[in-house]
Amino acid sequence: MSPAPRLATLIVLALIAAATGGAPAAQERPADATRRIADRLAALRKEAASLSTQEKSILNDLRTLELERQIKTEELAGIDAELEQIQKQIADATARAEELRARADQQEPDVAERLVRVYKMGRAGYWRLLLDADDLQSIGRALRTASVLDHLDRTRIENHARTIAALEQEKVTLEDRKRQADALRTEAAAARGALDRAVASRAELVKSIETRRDLAAELAAELDAAYLRLQSAIAQNQDLSTVYLPMRPFKGALPWPADGFVVSRFGREVSSRMPGIDFSRNGIEISLAEGRPVAAVHEGVVTHAGPFSAYGQLVIVDHGGGAVSLYGHLATISVSRGDRVAAGTNVGTSGRNTAGNPSVYFELRIDGQPVDPLQWLRPS
């Protein structure tokens, strides 16, 4: 039978029990439990549906990010290839310039020597050759020789200088391209790093959503099982006090034990009056006026109702399945040990803590370990 028909059947059975004059506890508890199960199941299934929608959206985002990361990776590969080519071109230009200088030094030492002499003597050096000639024919040959040598030297100097200048300019251009490519690579690497982090974050979020969705399904299954036990107990006219509604499926949806403000939270807390000293709190302290009602957060059996050292008047409720709740600093207690209480049952009234401030202490233990009550109570 699907959950909806089972719930309808249970409500009908509860109404029949009420109409036939059953015991008051049996008249109200099945209908209340059924309503709580139905409401919580609806909330869990709505949460599961919402998580599935979120997962699909995030998976789409994840795929987009992975594609963008792949594009950036390809861009980086292209930039790295370009940088390698530029480095090779720079090395080639440097090698050609060095080779040109070495060739000029090795193949034309006379030019180099003459250039040195010319630079030392200046342009008048060639004309001194003319003054050393004895006749006109010698002067003519010397003039032609001086003219040719002058032209040849100037041409070689200019060609050599232009080649060296061109190679140096090529190196400057290549170095500029290298700087630009380095900047592009740095930018692309930063973008890919950001995408890597985004992909990892989205993947972790998907994993978290899957865990929460699976947990919602598991909690819904627990509630379905609790419903079947309750239905079976009613059908067989069994004692309903032996049927527990599990607390775990109601994590994050439990009612508050009292209407007030949290003034002390769960966990380690540093003392403002004693620097360097911290305290570990197993529960929370709720500030409210003295004499206000304090209610059980879930159904269960009272295992303690009376004074308790450091807690004043204390009520402890066992909710089954390893879940226990504590209500301390009470002014009055309205339940007794062994009482079966439902969620919202008044267990007493608020009193004062050991410092004399009006408040209520609330603690929740699961499998013997204290847990943060704010993670189990519905958002306030």
Side-chain angles (χ1 to χ4, degrees):
M1 182 183 295
S2 63
R6 290 203 301 265
L7 292 177
T9 302
L10 187 55
I11 293 174
V12 171
L13 289 174
L15 293 176
I16 291 175
T20 53
Q27 291 175 8
E28 297 179 357
R29 186 178 175 280
D32 292 341
T34 299
R35 184 171 55 253
R36 291 189 69 205
I37 291 175
D39 291 345
R40 188 56 183 157
L41 276 174
L44 287 172
R45 286 170 180 150
K46 182 178 179 181
E47 179 183 357
S50 175
L51 289 172
S52 294
T53 301
Q54 289 180 40
E55 183 181 18
K56 291 178 182 177
S57 175
I58 293 172
L59 285 173
N60 289 335
D61 291 344
L62 184 58
R63 178 56 181 160
T64 300
L65 288 171
E66 288 175 342
L67 288 174
E68 291 178 359
R69 180 174 62 175
Q70 185 176 352
I71 291 171
K72 287 299 178 185
T73 300
E74 295 295 332
E75 287 181 3
L76 275 174
I79 293 172
D80 286 339
E82 182 181 0
L83 280 171
E84 184 178 355
Q85 183 65 24
I86 292 173
Q87 291 281 30
K88 183 176 181 301
Q89 291 174 354
I90 291 174
D92 289 344
T94 302
R96 290 202 307 272
E98 294 300 327
E99 182 183 357
L100 180 61
R101 291 189 180 96
R103 187 183 303 165
D105 291 342
Q106 292 174 4
Q107 295 181 357
E108 301 182 20
D110 57 330
V111 175
E113 184 179 355
R114 191 161 55 250
L115 290 176
V116 171
R117 290 202 307 268
V118 170
Y119 286 131
K120 287 181 177 179
M121 294 187 302
R123 291 182 56 85
Y126 283 118
W127 303 113
R128 291 198 186 103
L129 297 175
L130 300 179
L131 298 176
D132 293 335
D134 297 329
D135 53 32
L136 291 176
Q137 187 176 2
S138 297
I139 291 174
R141 285 198 301 269
L143 180 61
R144 287 193 298 273
T145 300
S147 178
V148 170
L149 289 175
D150 182 68
H151 178 73
L152 179 62
D153 291 343
R154 288 182 178 277
T155 301
R156 287 176 176 174
I157 291 171
E158 290 172 359
N159 289 340
H160 185 78
R162 279 196 297 270
T163 303
I164 296 298
L167 289 172
E168 292 298 333
Q169 182 58 46
E170 181 179 353
K171 287 177 60 179
V172 170
T173 302
L174 290 171
E175 291 289 353
D176 187 56
R177 283 179 56 195
K178 181 179 180 299
R179 283 192 294 273
Q180 294 177 6
D182 283 337
L184 287 175
R185 191 189 191 289
T186 300
E187 182 180 345
R192 191 181 67 174
L195 288 169
D196 286 341
R197 292 188 294 273
V199 167
S201 175
R202 292 294 196 284
E204 190 65 27
L205 185 56
V206 168
K207 182 178 179 181
S208 172
I209 288 176
E210 288 177 346
T211 300
R212 290 165 57 195
R213 184 190 58 196
D214 293 344
L215 178 60
E218 181 182 345
L219 296 179
E222 284 189 32
L223 282 179
D224 275 333
Y227 168 80
L228 289 176
R229 291 194 299 270
L230 187 59
Q231 181 185 30
S232 176
I234 293 175
Q236 298 178 28
N237 198 27
Q238 295 178 352
D239 181 9
L240 297 180
S241 64
T242 61
V243 182
Y244 280 87
L245 193 59
M247 177 184 279
R248 202 167 72 98
F250 292 89
K251 183 178 181 179
L254 293 175
W256 282 69
D259 186 12
F261 300 95
V262 176
V263 292
S264 293
R265 293 178 175 267
F266 173 86
R268 303 191 72 83
E269 183 175 287
V270 178
S271 173
S272 59
R273 291 178 294 179
M274 292 179 286
I277 300 179
D278 57 2
F279 302 92
S280 180
R281 297 184 181 276
N282 292 334
I284 61 174
E285 189 170 324
I286 303 172
S287 175
L288 72 168
E290 191 174 0
R292 302 295 298 275
V294 178
V297 297
H298 192 70
E299 66 171 29
V301 175
V302 176
T303 58
H304 178 86
F308 199 96
S309 177
Y311 292 94
Q313 294 291 327
L314 176 71
V315 169
I316 300 177
V317 179
D318 184 354
H319 304 287
V324 177
S325 59
L326 293 77
Y327 311 81
H329 304 327
L330 299 177
T332 62
I333 294 177
S334 54
V335 292
S336 301
R337 181 176 178 178
D339 286 354
R340 175 90 182 197
V341 296
T345 299
N346 190 348
V347 298
T349 58
S350 58
R352 293 180 177 271
N353 60 17
T354 54
N357 300 317
S359 65
V360 168
Y361 175 78
F362 176 67
E363 183 176 323
L364 190 60
R365 289 178 175 263
I366 305 296
D367 296 328
Q369 297 298 320
V371 296
D372 187 354
L374 296 182
Q375 295 181 357
W376 288 74
L377 301 173
R378 68 169 61 105
S380 174

